[in-house]
Each structure stands twice: as C-alpha cells, then as structure tokens.
Amino acid sequence: MIRVAILGAGIGAEHLQGYRMLPDLFEVTVICDLDLSRAADIAGDIDVTDSAEQVFNNPDIDLVDICLPPHLHVPMTLRALAAHKHVICEKPLATSLAEVDGLEQAQAASQGRVFPIFQYRFGRAMTQLTALKEAGLLGAPQTASLETHWARRADYYAVPWRGTWAGERGGVIIGHAIHAHDLLTCLFGDVAQVNARLTTRVNPIETEDCAAIAFSMANGALATSSVTLGGADDTTRIKLIYENLTATSGPKPYAPMDQTWTFQARDPVDQPKIDAALAQVTPGHAGFAGCLYEVAQALAGRPHRAVTLPDGRASVELMTAIYASARADGAAASCPISADHALYEGWQPTGESNG
C-alpha cells in the first residue's frame, strides 16, 4: 500500500478519483490546500491540512502528488525529494531544461522517484495501438495531425495565475496541447525539428492561446498540430497514418485514448487481420487510474509503462524547441537541445523569471 498526500485540491480532485479506483495499491491519507474548505469538499474522511511542511515531515507518507500551479512544480518536487518521498507531478513537470537537470540531480540523491503525469497515454485506444504494433500490423509512422481546439473564456482566466508568465510559465503550449504532443512522441518517436507559430488572439492574456506547429520526426515522419482556445467547444482529434493503416480518434477532449477509434487498413486485404488483433485486446485502466497503476508497478519493481523523468525531460525539451522556433519567426528549431542553447534556462520573455 502506497500512502499518498495530494497537494492541491483543484486538478487534485481528478487524481483522487484515480486513486479511489485503485484501493489495493494506494491510500490517500491527506489533502493539502491553502483553501481548507476546498480540500474538505473533496476529502470525505481523508485528513486535510494547509501546511505543505507538515506533509513533507510526515514519515507515514510515501508519495507526494503535486497538483499545484506550474510555478510551484519544481520547488515542491525538490522539497519532496529532499524528504525522500516519491513524487507524482502534474504538467508541466518543469519550464526549463535547467530545472529538469536539477530534478535529475535531486532524484539521484534521494530515495524518491519522480513520475510526471501524462494520463492521455492510458486507455483502450493505446492498448489497441500497442497490440497492433506488437502484431506487426502498423508499419512505419508516416504522417499525423493533431487538433486541440478548446474553448477558454474570461471565467477560466479569473484564476489570477492563469494566462500569466509568472504563474503559468506559458500558454496553450504548456497548459493544453502538451498532452497531445506527448502522445505524438510516444507513438511516433522523437522529434528532430520543429517549425512553430504562436499568437494570442482569443483572450486578453500575456501568454499564447493559438498555435500552428509542424514537426519533423527523427524517423522521417511528419506531423502537424493546430491549437486554439477560441473554439466553440472542446474538441480533440488525432489522426495517425502508418504504413499499413490509419488510426483516427473521436472528437472528445481530455481522454482521447479512452474512446472509440477507427483502424482502417491501407490494403483492404489486411483489415481482417487488424480486426482479429483488436478483438483480442483487453483494456486496462484508463486516464489517471492507468497512469497511477503503472507508477505502483514501477515502485513495486515490476514491469511497467510508467511515465518517468526522461519522459518529462522530452516534453520540456519539445516545449523549449517550440518557443525557440516561434521566437525566430517560425524558423526550424532542432532537438536535442544542449546546455548552451539560448532557452536552456527557460523561455520566459525578457524581464520575467523562473524564480
């Protein structure tokens, strides 16, 4: 049994639902939020506190789940590692590669391990794609298109830290499209080069709320990502074209891998083999529960598909490349990114700070 403290009762409420689906693996013992009434609203019979220090000093807590605004992710992760706790951290794990390097050093000196949250990786469609790949039915990745077309209005930005460089550290790239971009790299491999255009067109905020991005993958595949917060509703669409089939998601947001996809063979003669492979798939846990289940497997020393610190680093590196390209008027930005890169310390505009 892994004993958990959740820091932050906002998105933390959704994490809590995931833990409650895995009662044999996790026990949430405390929820910490500066707003004790908000914590109490989701806690039920779980203890609540407004003291993070109390959490870090509690020897009965094994894992700290950080569900706080982005500017608090790194400092709270470092404090948890210093207390030799395991850490689950909401996106973005960090907002510079320098910060990730600091987390890697802190993890090496700690008994704790860091697990970024990328819950989109878990669900029925991911299990299906994995089964098709293992059966040799996908072939090489060719092209992909991603759509993150969501609606965010003034009420969303009424939360003071949102839409600001100081609080959110970025806009639609780190707060909304990050999951779709993680799925792209998970399914299509590493990104070699990015061409990006970012702008703010929808809300009067500091950070970007629209993006058009082209990716060149290391294996030669190409992909595009269209992102806006000016949609009439929240729609996510993903189309993955492989050598032997095309995989297409439905339009529902937030959990694209936990919905019905279509898998269409390029050569109709292969469709029965694809259908037969899909018929053998047994879906596991999806979304947050799937992400948390794999963390439990990793901590138990069993085979796992947990999201780990290198995955978090890849996400931060990709965001760095996107901001680098956007600030060069869409010129190509390459990965990997070295410590002498202009944005290695962060992509905050001049006058802003990661501190």
Side-chain angles (χ1 to χ4, degrees):
M1 184 66 67
I2 301 167
R3 296 162 298 186
V4 179
I6 297 176
L7 302 188
I11 191 65
E14 296 188 39
H15 288 222
L16 180 59
Q17 292 177 14
Y19 289 116
R20 285 175 168 161
M21 294 176 68
L22 303 167
D24 296 333
L25 299 176
F26 296 97
E27 179 186 4
V28 178
T29 62
V30 62
I31 297 173
C32 178
D33 197 290
L34 292 177
D35 185 341
L36 287 175
S37 64
R38 185 168 77 156
D41 284 344
I42 69 169
D45 59 358
I46 300 169
D47 290 341
V48 300
T49 181
D50 59 1
S51 171
E53 198 63 36
Q54 184 181 53
V55 169
F56 297 131
N57 290 336
N58 187 341
D60 293 328
I61 292 173
D62 305 307
L63 185 151
V64 177
D65 188 339
I66 298 171
C67 300
L68 300 170
H71 69 283
L72 296 174
H73 289 179
V74 169
M76 288 298 186
T77 298
L78 290 172
R79 288 176 66 183
L81 288 173
H84 299 287
K85 312 292 188 187
H86 302 299
V87 179
I88 288 175
C89 185
E90 258 293 344
K91 49 79 179 170
L93 173 66
T95 53
S96 77
L97 286 168
E99 288 180 337
V100 179
D101 286 345
L103 293 178
E104 290 175 343
Q105 294 170 9
Q107 179 177 255
S110 174
Q111 297 172 23
R113 297 172 63 183
V114 178
F115 300 94
I117 280 283
F118 280 118
Q119 77 274 11
Y120 278 31
R121 291 188 179 199
F122 302 94
R124 176 185 178 188
M126 182 62 81
T127 307
Q128 291 173 318
L129 282 164
T130 301
L132 291 169
K133 181 177 181 179
E134 291 174 350
L137 295 172
L138 290 181
Q142 306 284 40
T143 61
S145 63
L146 316 173
E147 295 180 4
T148 307
H149 294 170
W150 294 0
R152 294 295 182 268
R153 300 177 173 87
D155 58 339
Y156 178 81
Y157 290 104
V159 178
W161 56 265
R162 285 182 177 156
T164 69
W165 288 109
E168 204 165 10
R169 300 295 201 236
V172 72
I173 295 305
I174 75 165
H176 304 87
I178 185 172
H179 286 296
H181 296 161
D182 174 70
L183 275 181
L184 176 67
T185 58
C186 183
L187 294 165
F188 262 44
D190 295 337
V191 173
Q193 200 169 76
V194 175
N195 296 82
R197 292 282 190 174
L198 310 180
T199 189
T200 307
R201 293 182 58 82
V202 181
N203 290 285
I205 57 175
E206 295 177 4
T207 56
E208 81 283 347
D209 58 16
C210 298
I213 308 169
F215 302 92
S216 299
M217 315 305 288
N219 57 23
L222 300 176
T224 60
S225 175
S226 171
V227 189
T228 183
L229 298 183
D233 59 10
D234 293 349
T235 299
T236 297
R237 288 190 182 89
I238 300 171
K239 177 171 278 192
L240 308 170
I241 300 176
Y242 292 91
E243 182 181 1
N244 298 327
L245 64 81
T246 294
T248 309
S249 78
K252 294 180 180 179
Y254 312 134
M257 285 297 171
D258 192 27
Q259 58 180 301
T260 300
W261 283 49
T262 61
F263 300 92
Q264 183 177 2
R266 177 172 170 81
D267 186 340
V269 73
D270 292 331
Q271 194 66 48
K273 290 182 281 186
I274 292 170
D275 295 340
L278 294 174
Q280 300 301 312
V281 170
T282 302
H285 295 288
F288 287 112
C291 203
L292 299 174
Y293 176 84
E294 296 299 336
V295 169
Q297 303 313 298
L299 293 180
R302 292 189 283 267
H304 65 86
R305 295 186 298 118
V307 184
T308 59
L309 195 49
D311 299 308
R313 181 184 181 82
S315 176
V316 174
E317 183 171 64
L318 181 53
M319 289 187 290
T320 303
I322 290 170
Y323 280 110
S325 173
R327 291 180 187 173
D329 292 327
S334 298
C335 294
I337 289 174
S338 61
D340 61 357
H341 191 279
L343 299 189
Y344 171 78
E345 298 285 345
W347 49 73
Q348 308 306 302
T350 304
E352 299 291 344
S353 170
N354 274 349

